[in-house]
Amino acid sequence: MKNVKLSKLWDSLHSSYWFIPTLMAVGSMILALAMLTLDRTGNTPNWGWIYTGGSDGARALLSSVAGSMVSVVATAFSITIVALTLASSNFGPRLLRNFMQDTGNQIVLGTFIATFIYSLLVLRTIHSEGEEYNEFVPQLSVTVGTALAIASIGVLIYFIHHASTIIQASHVITQVSADLDKAIDRLFPEKIGEDKANHPRQVGEIPANFDLEASPIKATGDGYLQAIDDEELMKIARQYNLLVRVKNRPGKFIVKGSDLAMVLPGERVNQNLNQQINDAFILGKERTEYQDVQFPIDQLVEIALRAISPGINDPFTAIRCIDRLSAGLSRLAQRDFPSPYRYDDEHNLRVIALGVTFEKLVDSAFNQIRQYSKPDVAVTIRLLEAIACIATYTRNSKQREALRRHAEMILNSSRKQISQEEDQKDVEERYHRVIQALEQD
């Protein structure tokens, strides 16, 4: 469970706006302590660029740096809020998590905060002649503070450019597409315990009385199923000599008291076992792509639907999303989808997982776009072109049949919605290309 929980913890920290700035703030405290220690040793290098002014000048310099950093942080925070508002309205609130994960914004905010804290810590150590303490001007520390202020200016310039870039549709679509590619590489093929995909007895090993004698494992909380700790679930099944059938897959919403899994023998289910299995199911407030490859597909679909809505009417953005969906589904068509039957080292069937299929992912990618883009000829044509592209990567008849079904639905919808004869001919031409691609060996 350590790997899954650590990954979930890192994902939560990476999605927060406070983690990296907090680390950088702590780093600034350590840097201030180190620089002041060097200054107190009296071994400050006699370099020309080291600050050599008096205590009043040092105070004025660091005070200006600290004050300006507060103003810049307020400005940066305001720009970030505007960017998040635009992202929420244009691309959907579910994409806010992608913006929260942006490391560049977190580093920018952390740089300003770190410079502010460093300046305050050094400022409090400066003493003038005649005060309670002897005069002390930390020349090296003041020099480093000046360098941090100059670096902050560079970071501010970067932030202005970055903030205007991350809200562009092309950038958002590319980022979501990259998340989809990473999810595909991580999940296909996937394993729970030892996956004997070619085990000759698979279905026959499921007892005929499983549904009658198995007992349910009830969920102890609400939320989206973000991940299943496969190793821990296999460990529990082996420890108690169980056969566990998982009833939900990552991405589904779990209601407290609903069935997470069915366990055979049912008489072994008790409060302790129920809690152990619940601990292997990681719930959260929102979906993530960690074990849910459908989530980035749904995000691309959401962007496309908003783009072709009457209020926005931006088919070019929808076409970009379709292109990315075709690339992702083409990659998926070449991957081995894992068997739902999971075996331990002794080849005993222990877990029956509820996985996702290529056909379901194709439905998720194309159904809603097809339904909402019926009058849009350009989007309809690009859907058929995407299906033709995916068809060249398919490896079995089930995949080809799923693509054929969607192509036929798109053609039938276009005949009802598109009135221009020339436009209808273009659509039919793309449909025939799909059929040709599907019939190729």
Side-chain angles (χ1 to χ4, degrees), residues 94-161:
R94 277 150 296 281
L95 282 157
L96 287 182
R97 182 173 173 274
N98 298 60
F99 290 87
M100 296 294 289
Q101 283 183 324
D102 190 272
T103 305
N105 286 343
Q106 297 176 20
I107 291 177
V108 168
L109 183 60
T111 300
F112 297 150
I113 293 176
T115 303
F116 172 74
I117 293 177
Y118 178 89
S119 300
L120 283 185
L121 294 178
V122 175
L123 183 62
R124 61 182 291 274
T125 65
I126 300 175
H127 302 294
S128 303
E129 186 70 32
E131 295 181 354
E132 181 180 353
Y133 303 97
N134 295 328
E135 183 178 20
F136 176 67
V137 180
Q139 297 177 340
L140 186 58
S141 300
V142 174
T143 303
V144 171
T146 305
L148 288 176
I150 295 174
S152 297
I153 296 174
V155 169
L156 177 61
I157 296 172
Y158 160 80
F159 176 71
I160 294 173
H161 167 77

Side-chain angles (χ1 to χ4, degrees), residues 23 73 77 156 188 204 222 236 256 260 268 309 324 347 387 413:
L23 291 181
V73 167
F77 184 74
L156 177 61
F188 298 95
D222 294 322
I236 295 171
K256 184 177 181 179
L260 278 180
R268 296 180 185 173
S309 63
R324 293 294 181 173
H347 309 298
I387 293 174
S413 297

